[in-house]
Amino acid sequence: MDIEIIPIDESHIPKVKGLIAGYLNSSSNGVDESDPSPEQLEQCEQILNRFISNSSANCYLARQDHEYIGFIILSWSFSISKGYPVLRIEALYSSSKHRKKSVGRKLMKHAIDLAISNKATRLQLETDDDNAPARTLYKQLGFKLIQGKGVYMSFL
């Protein structure tokens, strides 16, 4: 059956909070490390509510046969050197039972199409050094690892 990519809205929250928990509980080797607790599911619902009320990013869901099986979170910025938008992939996740079934690829292709249609100068993301499955997918889709670029963060 086909995988449909749809934007998230408030009606999806009860059905997809488990996907957010799956993302939070997954390791870079692609294995979900633990089942979510009721408290964690409540936290995921709160995260989704805050996310939907904030316009700085977009979330798209992968749906197959009325089941939500993955998501991608995107945010826009701007390249001052190129004078065009930049689309950033903040998170990509497919449920453990749907991995290796092109869910991540379909979500990534949606992001690529969105970037092209909005005349973005680039699509960028970060991933852990030991996340071999993700790195393989990104290389297959034409992404290049930029040597010499470091990631700096200030946790507030």
Side-chain angles (χ1 to χ4, degrees):
M1 183 60 70
D2 276 346
I3 298 170
E4 180 183 17
I5 307 300
I6 60 168
I8 193 171
D9 66 36
E10 297 85 9
S11 70
H12 298 119
I13 291 174
K15 299 171 192 152
V16 300
K17 61 186 175 185
L19 283 177
I20 301 300
Y23 175 82
L24 295 173
N25 292 336
S26 65
S27 66
S28 60
N29 66 6
V31 175
D32 288 349
E33 296 178 338
S34 63
D35 290 328
S37 67
E39 294 81 17
Q40 186 182 39
L41 288 172
E42 174 61 31
Q43 289 173 343
C44 291
E45 187 168 334
Q46 292 170 11
I47 288 168
L48 284 165
N49 279 312
R50 286 192 302 270
F51 178 82
I52 288 173
S53 68
N54 186 323
S55 63
S56 66
N58 302 102
C59 178
Y60 295 91
L61 301 170
R63 180 171 63 186
Q64 187 176 48
D65 297 329
H66 305 293
E67 180 182 3
Y68 297 98
I69 59 175
F71 67 85
I72 190 167
I73 296 177
L74 307 169
S75 65
W76 288 98
S77 63
F78 193 81
S79 170
I80 193 67
S81 64
K82 302 291 183 185
Y84 288 100
V86 172
L87 185 56
R88 186 170 163 71
I89 298 167
E90 302 295 343
L92 175 68
Y93 178 77
S94 60
S95 66
S96 58
K97 72 178 187 175
H98 292 94
R99 291 198 187 120
K100 299 189 183 202
K101 297 181 180 176
S102 295
V103 176
R105 180 177 300 278
K106 182 91 173 192
L107 287 161
M108 288 292 294
K109 286 190 180 261
H110 181 78
I112 292 166
D113 291 344
L114 189 62
I116 291 169
S117 70
N118 283 277
K119 297 179 176 39
T121 189
R122 70 179 179 268
L123 183 57
Q124 72 183 56
L125 56 85
E126 296 165 14
T127 192
D128 293 333
D129 290 339
D130 62 349
N131 193 341
R135 287 178 176 265
T136 298
L137 172 63
Y138 304 147
K139 285 180 188 175
Q140 289 172 349
L141 292 171
F143 284 73
K144 307 283 186 242
L145 179 62
I146 307 301
Q147 297 296 329
K149 290 286 187 178
V151 176
Y152 291 81
M153 295 182 190
S154 175
F155 295 96
L156 307 173

